[in-house]
Amino acid sequence: MLVTLCVNGEDSTTDVLPRTTLVDFLRHSLGMTGTHVGCEHGVCGACTVIVDGDAVRSCLMLAVQANGAEIMTIEGLADASANLSPLQEAFHRHHALQCGFCTPGVLMTAHALLRQEPNASKERIREVISGNLCRCTGYMPIVDAIFEARSSYQPASPATRARGR
Amino acid sequence: MKTRPQIVGTPLERIEDHRLLTGKARFVDDIHIEGMLHAAIVRSPVAHGLLKGVDTQVARRMPGVHGVFSAEDIARDFGGVVPRIAIRAIRIPELEPIEQWAIATKKVRYVGEPIAVVVADSPAEAEDAADQVTFEIESLEPVTGWRQSAAGTSPLFDLPVTNRAITYTAIKGNARDCQGAYTRKERFRVQRHSGFPMETRGLLAVWESNAQRMTVYGAAKVPFFARRTLAAAMRLPLDAVDMIEVDVGGSFGMRGEFYPEDFLVPFASKRLNRPVKWIEDRRESLLGSNHSREMESELEIVCEANGRVLALRGSVAVDAGAYVRAAGVIPGRFVALMLSGPYDIPNIHVESVLYLTNKAPVGTYRGPGLFEADFFRERLFDCAARDLGIDPVQFRRVNLVEESQMPYRLATLDFPEETDELDSGNYRATLDQCMREFGWQEKIGLQGRLIDGKYNGLAVGCFIDGGAGGLKEHARIELENDGQVTVYVGSASVGQGLVTILTQIAADALQLPVERIRILHGSTTYLKEGVGSGYSRSTVMGGSVVLLAVEELKRRMRDAAAKKLGCSPDEIKFERDLVMTAGEKKLGWEQLGSLGLAAEVEFVNHHHTFAYGAAAAHVAVDPRTGKVDLIDYFTLEDLGRVINPLTARGQAVGAAVQGLGGVFLENLYYDADGQLLSGTLADYMMPTATDFPSVRAEAIGLCPSPHNPLGAKGGGEGGVIPVGGVIVNAIAAALVTMKIDPKELPLTPEALWSLIQSADGRSSV
Ligand code: FES
Ligand code: FES
């Protein structure tokens, strides 16, 4: 089946088997291996990507279901010259990653959250991020990093303007 | 002399982060090689049975399939025998008969044991075909617990004839005859759980028939051991096998040990002469990656009336699973060897018995044996302190090993004989500091009080954390033409920030900015020999060998510079940025030209390090639901020397939260048929961000280790070790009026609620 979608601003049309999940499609058909697979049953959140503005578990979605959708993956978070976004910077500063395997999924969840709720409280951040498992950090630094990055998602902030898509 | 500000000890932000944050990391499943095939493993659905035959005919004809291999096919290539997975840690002849076969031969012994390997063009086709492999298994009585194992009604092996794999005994003084004013005997139990990194295991094996070489991507933790094991099993020369370490999504002891698939996938690649990839799925991970922690103890404490502990004696039954794998004996050894922890206990007699059961084989999980030992000991201490009417903090103070007693000898263990010495430390100072920073004085008034319907409880406990395992580490250092210094080191990265730590150490020793240092690690292509990570060793051993390498490079640079300047090497002094001076004369590294200065060194160490510390907890228990809120948790550890406070704290907090998962949530639960009932992450519950939001940790460098040039002690495991003891003691303290003394983990709300119910019943009678 042909699937047409826009990933990180680039359109593509690909022939996929109907049973291919979105995460396998991204990783193995498009070669975008930044999105990870930790369980394939919707619990760990490692495969989180943003589909039409919402954080979605790409292991629970078929590639064909995403036909026509606009998708953002971890590869689209830093700018074209690989400068870290303020959210990524905050993760770096707060030591919010160790092995980094969960990190792309966590960042996608956090990015979608702060785009929708730039004033999210720590409790709200913790609640939303509780859908992503991290085995290394104990979550404290992740929550702190996301909380700190809120300022860059305020409507007036240049970061959001630059990353407005 | 102009020196650079010291970088060791500063919270340098990690060098590793950029790639990991931008999706540019390369984990093993991210590697794609043209012509690559995919493997799926057919696994036993039966816990214990005779394997009567495997039929691969239908599977072989499925679309996309390139090969299907059963034990028979594999044995044919190896003179009729299926290779076995060698024990890595403490292999003795008695254990060889219970090493795991790379694939089940005549019998299956746990659900998940490999029966066949299917290789196809895509993972989906391999899985489809795996479903078509049929086999006949004649069921035998499954052994699902140590008591049943001990009863011996259903032996797992012909030899040994009993299910008792081995009995280790730790002895010190004469505990058996020891008498004191007070004794108490208790049973405690820790449930089966394990590390389960977020990245499941996986590998990509590439056989090159022209060169007769095997390259395996995805090695972790101990790549050099994996190379030796694979070469031996495949009957290849050692230098025909290479292990490549790519990014690793956590190990926690589990990942990187040699497993059946670490043979099966390379075997398939060689047979088919194609690259073959296998990535474990989460169900396979929960079914078959090393389990850990399952132990039941019966221990007796003997004390004087003032709380001085005279003896610990008793036994620990370890549910070891179906085989003894690479590091399978470690938890059972360490629980006995280090049961006394940081305390001066003159008499010890503890037997640790490894029982074989029809469950996944066990291995190490962060703080192996030590998490369990701490739970047993610290619980027993609080029971004793309460009986004797002694403040539990005081009870610990009078029993901690004194600084003047260092080095302090632990018990001696057998098979083979082994003992250890606590190397250095001021245990009381650390306990005091922990209580201060936790705010013990301010909080202790809440002890046992009912506030807003919840009982408050506090506890503190002390721990040790063995490190610097594995005799040696290796490194090679090169001064590049552009003035960069590259250090190749045998240590492996499992996501702990190894590159940052070793860069800091090298930068100070070389007096270079961090940008001019490149650390390459893990892969067997870099060095002739190496060891890796695990046993809290990578900072201590890797860091020490980096120091040695720098010294050796400087020696060679000095020799070369002396020739140029026409002076003796002793006159040469190093300034920052590898500038050398001799009196008025000055020489930069670039003037040494392209001499290709390099050195290969090894660091040898016969002593373990013992980091140590104390942890305190404040909980609130809702007696109506059995739910426990963790109000505050603080853990303080003396690492001898802190290389990077940011990563040290990160390790401690992460480890503590893993420990909390072990206390409250995680359980590999088998039914009476030997079926794993927690085979998904919805059933095997790991901590999430909302579960334990208030964990604090600090690492200090108070008492350096005398055994290595850094003075460092291993870091990554201490955070997890005290959690069970401290948390459950705090819960017991909260519920003291109900006389509730939980003795088993996990302490789920249901389990605690049941205890509260039965206590209510007792008090109302
Ligand atoms: S891989 Fe999708 S939620 Fe775990
Ligand atoms: S950083 Fe390792 S799983 Fe989150």
Side-chain angles (χ1 to χ4, degrees), chain B residues 404-416:
Chain B
S404 60
Q405 290 175 286
M406 298 289 176
Y408 179 87
R409 187 161 280 268
L410 299 175
T412 301
L413 196 64
D414 53 4
F415 297 118

Side-chain angles (χ1 to χ4, degrees), chain B residues 167-179:
Chain B
T167 301
Y168 297 116
T169 310
I171 297 180
K172 185 176 172 186
N174 182 358
R176 282 189 153 166
D177 300 327
C178 182
Q179 295 188 354

